[in-house]
């Protein structure tokens, strides 16, 4: 039986006070895994908790685009190779649930109105997404989760309203495989920060290769990729998990995160 493990972040550049909300979500996620929930379901459920929390830029509380619209992105990737992602979805407070419906489909990804119609056909609630009201407009506060269940299956779930001050059709790293997330061969990675910079680096897949292919310890790989591939002024953060249940998080700015595994190790 594999160790149970879960880690989540609340975005690169986010207020440190948001850590307690991440800790509460991880507490819930650890209970879900202990009750036998799969990594996919636990990652999605924790992501939904964070999407529903208005202090995060994901689902409710997302930033607005330049035209005032609220359009959301989300993705899920499973260590067995299944993949689902949605981008620029209107009227969808929980885009991670739509991404999850794609896991067993022939297609991997959907965008915009087509994604919304797909969700309507599957009974996923359509309602206006309430944007953030705090006056905070920074791009941070996106959410990401990685979970591993007793079968050793790992899943990443990421969700965002995108970076602020971007056009309505902008696509960031969260819905792009290899950019905002990657899980394969016992190594799972999820990224946060400025999506354009993450995408140009194919960040999650790049750092995954350093760890899995080159044998670099995850913590060194995260530190090296952040130091060598990004300008200090570009907010970047990473969370990761290995198949032994160990969890790592690194960022060049504040990034609230928390983790738990069934050895009792908390981060
Ligand atoms: N990476 C997200 C995006 O660019 C934002 C974030 O992680 O804060 O859409």
């Amino acid at each position: 039986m594999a160790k149970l493990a879960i880690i989540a972040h609340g975005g690169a550049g986010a207020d440190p006070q948001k850590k307690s909300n991440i800790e509460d979500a991880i507490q819930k996620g650890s209970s879900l895994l202990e009750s036998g929930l799969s990594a996919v379901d636990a990652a999605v459920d924790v992501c939904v908790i964070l999407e529903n929390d208005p202090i995060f830029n994901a689902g409710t509380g997302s930033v607005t685009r330049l035209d005032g619209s609220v359009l959301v992105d989300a993705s899920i990737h499973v260590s067995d190779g299944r993949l689902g992602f949605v981008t620029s979805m209107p009227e969808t407070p929980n885009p991670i649930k739509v991404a999850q419906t794609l896991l067993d489909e022939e297609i991997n990804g959907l965008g915009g109105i087509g994604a919304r119609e797909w969700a309507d056909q599957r009974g996923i609630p359509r309602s206006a997404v309430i944007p953030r009201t705090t006056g905070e407009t920074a791009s941070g506060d996106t959410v990401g989760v990685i979970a591993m269940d007793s079968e050793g299956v790992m899943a990443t779930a990421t969700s965002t309203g995108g970076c602020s001050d971007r056009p309505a059709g902008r696509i960031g790293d969260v819905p792009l495989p290899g950019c905002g997330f990657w899980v394969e061969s016992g190594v799972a990675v999820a990224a946060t920060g400025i999506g354009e910079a993450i995408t140009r680096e194919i960040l999650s897949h790049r750092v995954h290769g350093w760890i899995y292919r080159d044998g670099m310890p995850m913590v060194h790989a995260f530190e090296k990729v952040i130091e060598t591939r990004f300008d200090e002024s570009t907010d970047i953060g990473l969370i990761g998990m290995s198949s032994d249940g160990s969890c790592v998080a690194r960022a060049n700015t504040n990034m609230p995160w928390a983790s738990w595994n069934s050895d009792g190790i908390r981060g």
Side-chain angles (χ1 to χ4, degrees), residues 139-140 142 160 162-163 170 173 192-195 198:
S139 59
T142 279
T160 187
C163 286
R170 177 260 188 185
D173 59 299
T192 174
I194 303 301
I198 294 169

Side-chain angles (χ1 to χ4, degrees), residues 118-139:
W118 170 278
D120 290 341
Q121 287 155 16
R122 282 151 189 83
I124 296 175
R126 175 194 280 254
S127 64
V129 177
I130 300 163
R132 58 184 42 206
T133 50
T134 58
E136 284 179 289
T137 54
S139 59

Side-chain angles (χ1 to χ4, degrees), residues 10-11 14-22 24 49-63 130-134 136 138-143 256:
D15 185 336
Q17 290 184 344
K18 297 183 181 182
K19 184 173 171 66
S20 63
N21 300 54
I22 300 290
D24 291 349
I49 290 171
L50 298 174
E51 285 176 338
N52 291 345
D53 187 334
I55 70 165
F56 295 111
N57 172 24
T60 303
S62 287
V63 297
I130 300 163
R132 58 184 42 206
T133 50
T134 58
E136 284 179 289
S139 59
D141 315 336
T142 279
V143 305

Side-chain angles (χ1 to χ4, degrees), residues 200-222:
R200 281 194 293 273
E201 288 297 325
I202 317 176
L203 176 59
S204 296
H205 197 263
R206 179 186 296 276
V207 78
H208 181 283
W210 291 2
I211 299 161
Y212 175 66
R213 186 193 57 232
D214 303 342
M216 198 183 285
M218 187 177 278
V219 66
H220 294 165
F222 281 11

Side-chain angles (χ1 to χ4, degrees), residues 44-53 58-60 62 72-75 86 89-101 116 119 124-129 143 158-160:
V44 168
D45 283 5
V46 171
C47 195
V48 165
I49 290 171
L50 298 174
E51 285 176 338
N52 291 345
D53 187 334
T60 303
S62 287
V72 293
D73 301 337
S75 64
V86 293
M89 281 196 78
E91 298 183 287
T92 310
N94 295 117
I96 193 63
K97 284 189 163 288
V98 190
Q100 186 182 14
T101 67
R116 189 51 256 178
I124 296 175
R126 175 194 280 254
S127 64
V129 177
V143 305
T158 52
S159 184
T160 187

